[in-house]
């Protein structure tokens, strides 16, 4: 799917001009007149980035960013402002804004920011896909296997794990074989890397 | 006004003289001197040879009387007889007069006799021994030619005026150096002819400068005719004209008046009677001076002194007398008038004549003028102060706007960057389109149209900015209030965003039009909104709210209210908010609200502040509804 630039600005004049420029520069563009309109029509699977006017009536750019984060429809946001003031900039960057540009920033800067945002979106999407896949692998583990894995990752020996869990050492070995099979890895080091990729170590239900 | 001043001054003069009378009356017994003879008192008999109605006699009589009255030692009591010898010349009369005088003054001791006029002197010399034997005589005659001083008895002396021909001719030549002819006018009588002969004799000495022409022994009409024919710029000398060729009795005065009326050349004369007839003047025999001099001689004789006839003490002066009006009439320059000459009837002698009056009036005028000038000055000063106050108010409102614009910097940048950003994006897009082999012309046209539109938008912002920055007078027009509020809220949007203040507004579109100056009212609203935002600084984020409401207030007014939910205004400061330099803010200048009040009041409205029932404060102001102003 082609990455799309979502442009959100209440100023229709600027909106159409920006749409023109980005289309001419080869981007797929979707214009929105307000933050609400954009949120309502946003499809999470569409890759790309958002180019958002910071100052809009009702819901402004920062509110939009917060909503995106809340609804887990994460997407890199490039803010545009007529006149950037420090408090708004700080808040936007803290909440993960991709970039913060003045409306009269030169084309190169704007396009660069958009490209970078799209690239990051692609990377994040890849990371998210991989994470979901790794997490899916971990989800295949049984509760007992999860418990054994936890101990293994803490670096404990089979004998110690058997003592801790009150099972025999052989059973521990069987669980470990099952874990490496389910996760598709060979070594403890690989298991540890996967667990890190999955983010939070998934706890048993 | 003038008349009233004269009246007042006359009254003053009277009052002062009254004081004088009272004072002198208090010092001396008010008894007439003549009523009470005292030792050493001398009796003088004055014999006038002419009628009293002749001006010469009247003048002589007056100066005699004055001189004698003023004399203290000897005191003089005088008697007077008037003989008309000119008209009653017969010897018969003389006999009657002699008897009359002898009988009349039989009981009195006459100490001195004063014949006035040569006829009188001759009569006395003939009959003195019959009437007043041994009584000294002091005469006063108008012409020395009439008296043979050398043949007089030693106790007869007196004053005889001499015609000052030389003095008069010199004066005439001084006034008219270009004159080439002198026309001597005389009568037909013996005295006239005597005088004329004397004059022509003197004039022989001027032969090199003046041609002499004599006009005499004519009728009055002929004389007038001939004088009228004298060319401009010559000298006419009227010697005397007691009788004309027809034997008509005339007075020189009357003749002088008639000649002056027709002559193209100035008329000069030798006699004091010439004054005020239209003639220019001359070295004039002054009958008054002759009389005065004779009286002085008489007093000396009475005192026992000997004053021989013909001595210097008996000479009467012939002063140079000129008539200012005649000088003007014949255009004789005043600069040629000798310093010693007396110029009479000078018209602008108002000063000399009415000095006191003029000073009085001038003083009144000066006082009045000063007063008026003072009042005008005061008025001018007040006007200037008022103008300065208005100016200052404009300065202040202007300063207020400039200050506010500073506060609105981010809003303004935003307002401008929006259209400028759009223009830039469009231009950049156009560049890209133009790089392709077959540019999309429709798209390019749309871009150009958009650029144009955005440029207009940016221009509008700048215009608005300039209007705000410009010093300007109040220019009230019908305004749609909702539009005004929209504009101001747009202006503050960036700021309200930055400060996280939500501005709500509730301004019905169907409010009546108000009458006001858009820029000034924007300033008021902006000021109230910015104040409101300041008041919300301490309020928790997300709770800050600012509301603009407008309602019809009745009485032809619309009320606008700006409410915040901030900290409110301390009760003790509520009353002072609109005072200049009073501020509740740490960095406030204390000018925003006074300026707002000035603006609102200049519109005929009112502005005030109140605390809300729950929290925060509300500022309200009213504006008059525009005439016929229903939106």
């Amino acid at each position: 799917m082609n990455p799309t630039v979502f442009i959100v600005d209440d100023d229709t004049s600027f909106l159409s001009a920006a749409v023109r420029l980005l289309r001419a520069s080869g981007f797929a563009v979707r214009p929105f007149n307000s933050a609400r309109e954009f949120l309502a029509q946003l499809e999470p699977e569409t890759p790309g980035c958002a180019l958002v006017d910071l100052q809009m009536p009702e819901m402004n750019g920062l509110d939009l960013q917060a909503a995106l984060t809340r609804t887990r429809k994460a997407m890199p946001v490039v803010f545009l402002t007529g006149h950037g003031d420090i408090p708004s900039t700080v808040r936007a960057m803290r909440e993960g804004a991709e970039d913060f540009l003045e409306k009269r920033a030169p084309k190169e800067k704007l396009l660069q920011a958009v490209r970078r945002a799209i690239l990051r979106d692609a990377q994040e999407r890849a990371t998210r896909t991989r994470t979901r896949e790794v997490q899916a692998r971990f989800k295949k583990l049984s509760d007992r296997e999860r418990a054994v894995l936890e101990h293994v990752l803490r670096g404990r020996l089979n004998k110690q794990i058997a003592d801790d869990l009150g099972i025999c050492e052989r059973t521990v070995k069987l669980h470990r074989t099952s874990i490496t099979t389910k996760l598709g890895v060979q070594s403890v080091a690989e298991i540890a890397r996967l667990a890190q990729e999955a983010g939070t170590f998934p706890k048993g239900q | 006004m003038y008349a009233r001043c004269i009246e007042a001054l006359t009254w003053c003069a009277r009052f002062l003289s009254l004081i004088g009378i009272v004072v002198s009356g208090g010092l001396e017994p008010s008894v007439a001197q003549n009523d009470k003879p005292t030792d050493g008192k001398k009796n003088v008999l004055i014999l006038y040879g002419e009628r009293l109605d002749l001006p010469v006699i009247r003048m002589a009589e007056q100066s005699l009387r004055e001189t004698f009255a003023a004399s203290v030692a000897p005191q003089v009591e005088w008697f007077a007889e008037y003989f008309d010898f000119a008209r009653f010349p017969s010897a018969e009369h003389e006999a009657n007069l002699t008897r009359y005088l002898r009988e009349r003054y039989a009981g009195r001791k006459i100490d001195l006799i004063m014949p006035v006029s040569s006829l009188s002197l001759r009569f006395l010399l003939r009959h003195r021994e019959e009437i007043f034997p041994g009584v000294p005589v002091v005469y006063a005659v108008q012409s020395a030619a009439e008296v043979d001083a050398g043949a007089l008895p030693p106790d007869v002396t007196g004053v005889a005026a001499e015609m000052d021909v030389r003095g008069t001719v010199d004066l005439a030549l001084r006034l008219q150096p270009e004159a080439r002819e002198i026309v001597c006018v005389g009568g037909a009588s013996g005295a006239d002819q005597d005088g004329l002969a004397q004059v022509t004799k003197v004039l022989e000495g001027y032969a090199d400068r003046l041609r002499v022409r004599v006009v005499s022994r004519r009728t009055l009409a002929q004389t007038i005719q001939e004088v009228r024919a004298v060319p401009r710029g010559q000298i006419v000398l009227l010697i005397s004209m007691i009788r004309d060729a027809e034997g008509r009795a005339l007075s020189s005065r009357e003749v002088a008046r008639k000649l002056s009326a027709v002559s193209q050349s100035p008329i000069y004369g030798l006699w004091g009677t010439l004054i005020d007839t239209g003639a220019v003047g001359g070295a004039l025999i002054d009958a008054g001076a002759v009389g005065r001099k004779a009286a002085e001689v008489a007093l000396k004789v009475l005192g026992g002194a000997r004053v021989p006839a013909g001595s210097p003490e008996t000479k009467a002066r012939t002063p140079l007398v000129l008539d200012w009006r005649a000088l003007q009439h014949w255009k004789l320059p005043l600069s040629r008038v000798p310093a010693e000459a007396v110029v009479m009837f000078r018209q602008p002698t108002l000063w000399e004549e009415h000095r006191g009056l003029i000073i009085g009036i001038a003083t009144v005028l000066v006082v009045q003028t000063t007063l008026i000038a003072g009042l005008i000055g005061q008025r001018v000063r007040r006007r200037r102060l008022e103008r300065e106050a208005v100016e200052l108010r404009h300065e202040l409102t202007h300063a207020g706007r400039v200050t506010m614009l500073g506060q609105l910097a981010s809003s303004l940048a935003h307002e401008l960057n929006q259209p400028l950003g759009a223009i830039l994006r469009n231009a950049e897009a156009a560049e890209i389109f133009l790089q392709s082999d077959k540019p999309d012309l429709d798209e390019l046209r749309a871009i150009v149209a958009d650029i144009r539109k955005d440029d207009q938008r940016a221009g509008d912002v700048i215009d608005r900015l300039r209007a705000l920055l410009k010093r300007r007078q109040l220019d009230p027009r019908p305004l749609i209030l909702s539009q005004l509020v929209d504009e101001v809220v747009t202006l503050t949007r960036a700021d309200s965003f930055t400060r996280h203040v939500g501005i709500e507004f509730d301004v019905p579109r169907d409010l009546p039009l108000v009458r006001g100056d858009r820029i000034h009212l924007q300033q008021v609203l902006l000021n109230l909104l910015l104040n409101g935002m300041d008041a919300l600084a301490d309020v928790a984020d997300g709770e800050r709210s600012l509301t603009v409401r407008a309602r019809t207030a009745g009485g032809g007014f619309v009320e606008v209210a700006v409410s915040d939910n901030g900290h409110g205004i301390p009760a003790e400061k509520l009353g002072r908010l609109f005072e200049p330099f009073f501020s509740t803010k740490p960095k406030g200048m204390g000018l925003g609200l006074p300026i707002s009040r000035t603006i609102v009041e200049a519109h005929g409205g009112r502005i005030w502040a109140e605390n809300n029932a729950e929290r925060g404060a509300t500022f309200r102001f009213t504006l008059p509804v525009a005439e016929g102003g229903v939106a």
Side-chain angles (χ1 to χ4, degrees), chain B residues 150-187:
Chain B
L152 294 173
D155 58 348
V156 174
T157 184
V159 177
E162 278 181 69
M163 289 200 296
D164 191 353
V165 180
R166 201 169 289 279
T168 300
V169 174
D170 286 346
L171 175 68
L173 281 172
R174 186 152 174 183
L175 291 173
Q176 298 172 255
E178 68 288 346
R180 291 290 162 264
E181 187 178 53
I182 181 162
V183 179
C184 300
V185 180

Side-chain angles (χ1 to χ4, degrees), chain B residues 48 54-68 114 116 140-142 159 161 270-273 275 284-297 315-319 321:
Chain B
Y48 294 99
L54 286 180
V56 182
I57 300 300
R58 229 181 15 245
M59 282 160 75
E61 197 246 354
Q62 190 183 347
S63 49
L64 281 172
R65 202 172 56 219
E66 283 170 1
T67 314
F68 285 147
M114 292 193 75
V116 176
V141 301
Q142 298 299 332
V159 177
L270 301 163
W271 300 93
T273 50
I275 285 304
L284 302 183
I285 294 166
D286 178 0
V290 171
R292 201 171 307 113
K293 199 85 191 168
E296 283 165 13
V297 172
K315 297 270 191 260
R317 240 167 25 89
T318 49
V321 180

Side-chain angles (χ1 to χ4, degrees), chain A residues 129-139 194 197-198:
Chain A
T129 311
R130 166 104 180 128
T131 308
R132 270 201 295 275
E133 190 254 321
V134 173
Q135 281 171 346
R137 281 194 231 172
F138 278 105
K139 270 182 188 152
L194 270 188
E197 261 183 63

Side-chain angles (χ1 to χ4, degrees), chain A residues 107-193:
Chain A
K107 177 181 76 175
E108 291 69 31
K109 252 182 134 177
L110 177 69
L111 295 182
Q112 215 170 38
V114 169
R115 277 192 205 105
R116 203 163 46 224
I118 288 171
L119 191 67
R120 198 171 115 189
D121 181 59
Q123 286 168 350
E124 279 177 0
R125 274 174 199 282
T127 312
R128 277 204 296 276
T129 311
R130 166 104 180 128
T131 308
R132 270 201 295 275
E133 190 254 321
V134 173
Q135 281 171 346
R137 281 194 231 172
F138 278 105
K139 270 182 188 152
K140 286 190 264 179
L141 301 181
S142 68
D143 286 349
R144 182 57 77 181
E145 284 164 353
R146 246 180 259 263
V148 172
L149 181 60
E150 202 174 325
H151 283 85
V152 170
L153 289 176
R154 277 204 218 113
R156 295 181 71 84
L157 302 171
N158 288 345
K159 200 169 186 276
Q160 292 168 312
I161 297 169
D163 285 352
D164 288 349
L165 296 177
I167 52 174
C168 67
E169 202 180 334
R170 235 188 83 180
T171 313
V172 174
K173 280 184 179 169
L174 280 173
H175 281 310
R176 285 186 70 150
T177 310
S178 173
I179 289 168
T180 48
T181 309
K182 281 179 179 173
L183 294 178
V185 291
Q186 303 299 321
S187 64
V188 176
E190 279 178 292
I191 293 171
R193 192 175 51 80

